[in-house]
């Protein structure tokens, strides 16, 4: 069983080589992290090459949560970081690894569930992946050679978590009778709005629709919503649709 120590989940998104998954597990366990999630590994699962590379950290692979896609992997999370070395055209807070793990420690100390995304080895996370995150982690590497191995990136982030872990605050944010919305609840809300906007012809012209949807989803990920906020926004959209249908009669 994973330890009960408060910590973020490290999510490997479409990893390609078993050796790199094993190296990531070993890096995590070096710094006391044992909550690994794996999204759609290229070579299937389980992977004997991952086990061999993990050495003494094989338990993390045995207990890793498998997910078919990213929304499934993030369903219970309330705050998500995405690691990337390349500049993106998405408006998000950008943290250093140290700053990100300090923020993660604060959020986890308040009872939130935090995840950190790591992309596949060939090109890293795609914009659609990053659009689902609340913030970006960028490592200050040599601009002429910015590529980090998956295991190296996990190691660096895990190290910064270890440095911050002892500073997790004891207090919990008072949300009254409310809770932060989970990623699954946000995903359902965004899908609700996106579907209605598709019906209204908002995403036009067709060739620009995919990019418009990515920007639209990125907008939602920048907002911290409670479950009450989500329920209210669902109600607003339902009422607008009912009003439109009534006015057309």
């Amino acid at each position: 069983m994973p330890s009960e120590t408060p910590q973020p989940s490290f999510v490997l998104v479409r990893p390609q080589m078993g050796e790199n998954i094993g190296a990531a597990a070993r890096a995590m366990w070096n710094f006391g992290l044992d909550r690994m999630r794996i999204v759609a590994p290229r070579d299937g699962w389980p992977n004997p090459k991952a086990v061999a590379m993990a050495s003494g950290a094989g338990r993390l692979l045995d207990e890793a949560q498998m997910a078919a896609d990213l929304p499934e992997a993030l369903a219970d999370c309330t705050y998500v970081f995405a690691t990337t070395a390349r500049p993106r055209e998405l408006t998000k807070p950008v943290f250093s690894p140290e700053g990100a793990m300090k923020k993660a420690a604060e959020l986890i100390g308040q009872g939130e569930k935090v995840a950190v995304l790591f992309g596949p080895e060939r090109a890293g996370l795609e914009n659609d992946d990053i659009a689902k995150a609340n913030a970006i982690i960028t490592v200050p590497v040599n601009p002429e050679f910015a590529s980090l191995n998956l295991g190296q990136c996990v190691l660096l982030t895990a190290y910064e978590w270890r440095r911050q872990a002892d500073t997790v605050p004891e207090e919990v944010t008072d949300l009254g009778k409310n809770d932060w919305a989970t990623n699954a609840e946000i995903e359902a809300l965004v899908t609700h709005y996106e579907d209605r906007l598709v019906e209204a012809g908002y995403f036009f012209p067709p060739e620009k629709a995919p990019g418009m949807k990515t920007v639209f989803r990125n907008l939602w990920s920048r907002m911290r919503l409670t479950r009450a906020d989500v329920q209210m926004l669902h109600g607003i959209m339902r009422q607008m649709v009912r009003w439109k249908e009534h006015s057309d009669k």
Side-chain angles (χ1 to χ4, degrees):
M1 292 289 292
S3 68
E4 297 183 2
T5 304
Q7 60 180 269
S9 296
F10 278 21
V11 184
L12 311 187
V13 182
R14 300 182 298 277
Q16 296 170 320
M17 297 178 62
E19 293 91 339
N20 286 332
I21 300 173
R26 187 170 181 173
M28 288 175 64
W29 193 227
N30 280 150
F31 296 100
L33 293 166
D34 61 357
R35 295 180 191 172
M36 174 182 281
R37 301 182 183 189
I38 305 175
V39 178
R42 183 191 66 182
D43 296 337
W45 197 258
N47 189 313
K49 293 182 179 179
V51 175
M53 189 66 183
S55 188
R59 177 177 68 83
L60 273 68
L61 303 179
D62 294 337
E63 298 169 354
Q65 295 182 24
M66 303 300 298
D69 55 31
L70 192 51
E72 179 185 342
L74 299 178
D76 64 338
C77 299
T78 60
Y79 199 93
V80 180
F81 292 96
T83 60
T84 179
R86 294 184 288 125
R88 305 287 181 162
E89 296 179 355
L90 298 175
T91 303
K92 288 187 183 294
V94 179
F95 289 86
S96 67
E98 179 181 7
M101 291 303 95
K102 182 177 181 180
K103 175 76 171 178
E106 293 171 353
L107 293 171
I108 291 170
Q110 295 168 5
E112 297 204 40
K113 292 187 176 181
V114 176
V116 183
L117 308 183
F118 300 89
E121 298 89 322
R122 183 180 62 82
L125 294 168
E126 298 178 358
N127 275 4
D128 284 349
D129 302 320
I130 296 174
K132 295 178 175 63
N134 301 98
I136 287 172
I137 301 175
T138 294
V139 180
V141 293
N142 177 4
E144 296 181 4
F145 190 62
S147 177
L148 278 178
N149 175 274
L150 173 60
Q152 292 174 325
C153 193
V154 170
L155 179 72
L156 190 152
T157 310
Y159 165 71
E160 292 295 348
W161 166 259
R162 186 73 174 188
R163 293 182 61 215
Q164 301 296 330
D166 292 338
T167 65
V168 176
E170 297 293 332
E171 74 270 17
V172 176
T173 299
D174 185 5
L175 293 175
K177 296 181 179 180
N178 213 337
D179 292 306
W180 292 116
T182 66
N183 203 73
E185 290 163 339
I186 298 294
E187 180 72 16
L189 176 66
V190 176
T191 300
H192 183 188
Y193 271 70
E194 188 176 281
D195 289 347
R196 299 293 82 78
L197 289 170
V198 168
E199 292 173 0
Y202 174 76
F203 298 108
F204 183 86
E207 63 270 17
K208 292 187 177 180
M212 293 173 69
K213 289 180 180 181
T214 296
V215 172
F216 177 70
R217 285 178 171 268
N218 187 56
L219 179 150
W220 290 95
S221 71
R222 297 203 309 270
M223 294 186 286
R224 301 300 312 279
L225 299 177
T226 65
R227 287 179 169 170
D229 295 332
V230 169
Q231 292 170 0
M232 178 185 68
L233 289 167
H234 274 300
I236 289 172
M237 178 55 78
R238 284 193 292 265
Q239 186 60 32
M240 291 176 68
V241 171
R242 282 195 290 265
W243 172 82
K244 180 66 168 57
E245 292 173 345
H246 178 77
S247 64
D248 288 342
K249 292 180 180 179

